[in-house]
Amino acid sequence: MGLPPPGVGQGQAAASDSRGAALCLVFTDARGRIVFADNNFIELLHQNDTVSLVGEPLSKILRIAPQNISELISSIAQMGYVRDHMIEIQDMEEEPLNIACTGVATYDDQGVFIGADLTLCDITHFEPTSVHLVDHGDILSARIKEIQNETKKQRGEEEQTFALGYFTAQVTAIQVLLGRMGGPRVREMVETLVNQTASQYGWPVELQGGHLNIGQEGLPLNAYTVLLEQVVDYGTNIIGYQAITYEMQMVDDQMTPHLREMAGQAGLRKWVLS
């Protein structure tokens, strides 16, 4: 969103069973509301799931003053990039955590600031790792690496694994983009659309909190194309075709040539340049 692909998410901390040893990814809108949080963030804060996080102010989830996050987002918007900003937060059990936060500004296809891509690392018990994620493309690469590591657990055929990884990366990116530009309800409609369509066809797939859950039996290859096409069409109706395909192209650019080839064979790349 076979791993890891060369050059994807370089400098990212490796996942670990020790809390704080892994890099957390959190995407916000321009107002500092969460539009996506990865599993590492859930583990860091001892949260139960991502569904309860989406749409919430990041300051509320981190249990810090709203002004602190407002100032951070403003700095990211003005400078484009903030590195190793130190903040003290609390987890769900109200335990203090010292966090190193790096933020990257995200813009729409017109160059308007629409949110921040944040990476967080707990340094309460661990030294901060050296990460070099300096733009939106780098963050997409890190997220794609997470997705592809997760899809390896599906243990399906190679074409299924690659199709699932590509599909998940694109749907996640579109959903985050819609959340940033259209608000929480628009973002939620992506999940409703995917889940209702899957139910209609009897496909064992569910999208919740920006995370895709697929049954062990997997999906037919054409399911990915049908679902992605519906998400693209919905997004186009909300924010326009150019904005949607601009983001999809950025995601596609982070993929390895082999993954792009496999996704193309599955009919998943008709919205991007070859």
Side-chain angles (χ1 to χ4, degrees):
M1 189 26 141
L3 261 193
V8 170
Q10 293 181 350
Q12 182 180 7
S16 168
D17 291 335
S18 299
R19 189 175 73 157
L23 195 68
C24 305
L25 300 180
V26 182
F27 302 158
T28 77
D29 62 14
R31 296 169 56 185
R33 297 178 299 185
I34 296 174
V35 293
F36 176 82
D38 71 357
N39 291 327
N40 291 335
F41 185 74
I42 298 172
E43 181 180 352
L44 176 71
L45 296 184
H46 289 155
Q47 291 282 153
N48 295 323
D49 56 58
T50 58
V51 177
S52 60
L53 300 181
V54 174
E56 294 288 346
L58 181 60
S59 58
K60 176 182 176 181
I61 301 303
L62 297 182
R63 292 171 177 77
I64 60 176
Q67 182 179 354
N68 291 348
I69 293 299
S70 177
E71 292 175 352
L72 174 62
I73 298 297
S74 294
S75 295
I76 294 171
Q78 292 172 9
M79 297 185 290
Y81 178 78
V82 171
R83 182 178 176 85
D84 291 337
H85 178 81
M86 307 304 296
I87 52 177
E88 182 176 303
I89 68 173
Q90 292 183 332
D91 63 15
M92 282 285 289
E93 299 168 358
E94 298 187 353
E95 290 294 326
L97 300 171
N98 293 313
I99 299 295
C101 175
T102 292
V104 174
T106 305
Y107 308 93
D108 65 13
D109 59 306
Q110 302 299 316
V112 177
F113 175 74
I114 58 173
D117 297 343
L118 305 176
T119 61
L120 298 91
C121 182
D122 173 22
I123 62 169
T124 303
H125 306 294
F126 298 89
E127 291 296 324
T129 55
S130 177
V131 295
H132 303 286
L133 308 178
V134 299
D135 59 29
H136 185 50
D138 290 337
I139 301 297
L140 288 175
S141 290
R143 177 57 188 149
I144 288 167
K145 182 176 181 179
E146 285 187 336
I147 289 170
Q148 292 181 316
N149 276 324
E150 292 166 2
T151 59
K152 286 175 63 178
K153 300 175 184 178
Q154 299 289 327
R155 298 182 180 180
E157 298 294 330
E158 182 186 41
E159 60 182 3
Q160 283 278 352
T161 300
F162 281 107
L164 173 58
Y166 189 91
F167 169 81
T168 304
Q170 291 290 14
V171 170
T172 298
I174 294 172
Q175 188 178 28
V176 168
L177 179 65
L178 288 171
R180 284 169 163 165
M181 297 182 68
R185 290 186 180 180
V186 170
R187 180 204 165 282
E188 289 170 8
M189 276 302 300
V190 174
E191 300 192 350
T192 299
L193 179 63
V194 168
N195 295 337
Q196 287 183 347
T197 303
S199 177
Q200 176 185 347
Y201 285 93
W203 294 329
V205 57
E206 184 177 40
L207 184 63
Q208 282 192 326
H211 295 265
L212 202 67
N213 302 308
I214 294 180
Q216 292 184 347
E217 59 269 43
L219 301 178
L221 275 179
N222 71 303
Y224 299 109
T225 306
V226 170
L227 293 172
L228 183 56
E229 187 161 26
Q230 291 210 353
V231 171
V232 171
D233 288 346
Y234 171 70
T236 297
N237 289 334
I238 300 298
I239 62 175
Y241 187 73
Q242 181 175 327
I244 292 294
T245 55
Y246 178 83
E247 187 71 10
M248 293 183 75
Q249 185 69 59
M250 290 193 68
V251 173
D252 189 84
D253 288 344
Q254 309 307 316
M255 304 290 186
T256 63
H258 184 51
L259 195 156
R260 284 196 293 268
E261 179 183 357
M262 297 294 288
Q265 292 176 7
L268 294 170
R269 297 189 67 234
K270 58 184 178 181
W271 299 277
V272 301
L273 301 176
S274 299

